[in-house]
Amino acid sequence: DSGVTQTPKHLITATGQRVTLRCSPRSGDLSVYWYQQSLDQGLQFLIQYYNGEERAKGNILERFSAQQFPDLHSELNLSSLELGDSALYFCASSAQGFAGITDTQYFGPGTRLTVL
Amino acid sequence: GQNIDQPTEMTATEGAIVQINCTYQTSGFNGLFWYQQHAGEAPTFLSYNVLDGLEEKGRFSSFLSRSKGYSYLLLKELQMKDSASYLCAVDIMGGGNKLTFGTGTQLKVEL
């Protein structure tokens, strides 16, 4: 158990819908990262937040957005869902997350999203 | 951009030693992580290399050559539970702490 929690564990929804995935980082960690893992793509970095502010962005679609709240939990919002958005979504956390200072990222159990 | 290559699959025998290679081409390389991932589960941290050389941690060791853009993960005394995907991930300098992952090597340990 990494100490990172994610809810829900599974989510089944229809195309065009909107969902919110939630992540709580390990106690004391300030950075949260979101990754998408689909069968044909491997783990893809989406976005990082550090202490409430966006720190780095990957190939995140405009239909996707995230935020980190004052209590440091984070939410990933996925809207206008398409079949291709079906994937495992992982959240990870690390102590810091500053450029030039490498922290180990610890991953949560993931949310499996199925879009029908 | 970044390019990370790992073999797709490997098979080894219980009790044996296996080496999983990872090559990368990237600018602003900071360090390299190895993670283990069982199917449908979270990646779990195995090792981090920032300097050239070998880091040993129990049955698992990881090696890095920055000049060659090359790393390997060495697993000794293989156990059935080591059957999993092994992910190589590069940490790039500049802008946060995001990791770029290879597609992973699926290791199957057989009796």
Side-chain angles (χ1 to χ4, degrees):
Chain A
D1 184 355
S2 67
V4 179
T5 60
Q6 289 187 248
T7 56
K9 201 162 181 156
H10 300 277
L11 200 46
I12 302 174
T13 188
T15 53
Q17 295 299 303
R18 174 190 166 94
V19 297
T20 297
L21 313 183
R22 184 188 167 104
C23 168
S24 292
R26 295 185 320 156
S27 177
D29 282 0
L30 298 176
S31 268
V32 168
Y33 311 78
W34 286 98
Y35 291 86
Q36 179 193 56
Q37 187 174 41
S38 50
L39 280 172
D40 57 344
Q41 289 270 344
L43 261 172
Q44 301 285 319
F45 170 75
L46 295 177
I47 198 163
Q48 177 201 358
Y49 278 83
Y50 170 77
N51 205 19
E53 293 192 6
E54 184 183 302
R55 175 68 68 176
K57 218 168 183 176
N59 294 329
I60 186 167
L61 299 171
E62 282 191 20
R63 300 184 285 109
F64 295 2
S65 65
Q67 54 184 326
Q68 186 180 27
F69 295 86
D71 67 353
L72 300 177
H73 91 271
S74 178
E75 292 180 357
L76 179 68
N77 300 296
L78 315 175
S79 61
S80 303
L81 283 167
E82 301 174 0
L83 296 177
D85 297 328
S86 296
L88 260 173
Y89 290 85
F90 286 105
C91 166
S93 74
S94 74
Q96 296 290 333
F98 277 100
I101 300 173
T102 298
D103 293 319
T104 298
Q105 294 181 28
Y106 295 92
F107 283 77
T111 293
R112 182 173 292 281
L113 174 66
T114 303
V115 182
L116 301 174
Chain B
Q2 295 90 41
N3 194 31
I4 301 170
D5 287 312
Q6 305 178 236
T8 306
E9 293 177 343
M10 296 183 74
T11 301
T13 305
E14 190 179 35
I17 299 172
V18 71
Q19 177 174 313
I20 302 174
N21 296 326
C22 171
T23 58
Y24 61 89
Q25 290 175 308
T26 183
S27 53
F29 175 83
N30 214 19
L32 190 143
F33 286 87
W34 283 97
Y35 282 83
Q36 179 193 62
Q37 186 179 26
H38 287 97
E41 298 183 8
T44 55
F45 169 74
L46 291 177
S47 67
Y48 175 63
N49 293 71
V50 61
L51 300 175
D52 285 359
L54 189 68
E55 296 270 348
E56 295 186 73
K57 205 188 276 188
R59 292 191 300 117
F60 291 15
S61 304
S62 57
F63 171 84
L64 176 68
S65 168
R66 295 176 72 110
S67 61
K68 293 181 179 170
Y70 168 68
S71 174
Y72 66 74
L73 180 69
L74 196 70
L75 292 76
K76 301 175 193 172
E77 299 168 19
L78 280 172
Q79 302 174 10
M80 299 298 287
K81 68 178 182 179
D82 296 330
S83 293
S85 183
Y86 291 85
L87 310 173
C88 164
V90 172
D91 176 28
I92 309 294
M93 276 191 267
N97 204 17
K98 62 183 179 184
L99 295 179
T100 302
F101 281 84
T103 50
T105 298
Q106 186 65 44
L107 174 66
K108 184 178 177 184
V109 180
E110 298 179 329
L111 289 171

